[in-house]
Amino acid sequence: MTSSTADITRATVQKFLALRLAGDTEGLTALFADRVDWLLAENPAVPWIRPRSTAAECAAQFTELMEHTVPEDARASVDTFLVDGTDAVLTGHVSGTVRATGKSFEGPFALRLTVEDGRITRHHLYENSLSIAEACAS
C-alpha cells in the first residue's frame, strides 16, 4: 500500500511538531527544504522574527525563540490540523514570556505548511504580532 500525498504531508507535519517540541535543530534542518518560502510579518522589535529562506535559518528560529523567551512559560496548543494534498494548516493558541522584559504575550495563530518530497517548502505563520512586540518593548 502506498501513502497518499496527504498522508505524507500529515506525517511530515507531525514530525515537524515533534522536532520543535524536542528542540531538535538538526532534525528540523533536515526536514526543511534547502530553500523555504518563509513568511512571518517582519517585526523589528522582536529579535527572533526576521526573514528566513534556508533550511538552517528556518530551523534556527526555534533556538532564537528559546534564547529570547522563558522556556518554562512557553505554551502552544493546536485546535485544528487540516491537510489537503501537499498543504497543511494548523490553528491554535500561543503564549510566552519575553526574557529581557518579563512581559507576557499571547494570542491565536495560524500556520500554513507545504510539504514536497517529504520536506517543508513553505512556512507561513500568522500570529498576534502586536502582543509579541508589546512584550518585547522595554
Side-chain angles (χ1 to χ4, degrees), residues 39-118:
L39 176 70
L40 182 56
E42 286 193 52
N43 196 334
V46 182
W48 64 88
I49 296 178
R50 60 179 178 77
R52 299 167 192 272
S53 61
T54 69
E57 290 171 343
C58 294
Q61 192 267 344
F62 175 81
T63 304
E64 293 168 19
L65 175 64
M66 291 299 103
E67 289 171 357
H68 294 284
T69 60
V70 179
E72 305 81 49
D73 292 351
R75 302 281 182 272
S77 61
V78 174
D79 302 323
T80 306
F81 181 0
L82 305 171
V83 176
D84 182 14
T86 61
D87 291 311
V89 175
L90 295 90
T91 64
H93 193 86
V94 66
S95 62
T97 302
V98 175
R99 188 183 306 273
T101 64
K103 295 179 185 177
S104 297
F105 59 89
E106 62 87 24
F109 77 88
L111 175 61
R112 178 183 179 194
L113 299 169
T114 299
V115 175
E116 297 174 39
D117 298 321

Side-chain angles (χ1 to χ4, degrees), residues 124-136:
H124 289 187
L125 179 63
Y126 307 92
E127 61 186 359
N128 186 349
S129 57
L130 178 59
S131 176
I132 297 168
E134 288 173 348
C136 286

Side-chain angles (χ1 to χ4, degrees), residues 15-26:
K15 183 175 182 181
F16 165 77
L17 295 172
L19 292 168
R20 281 291 305 238
L21 187 61
D24 184 346
T25 304
E26 187 176 313

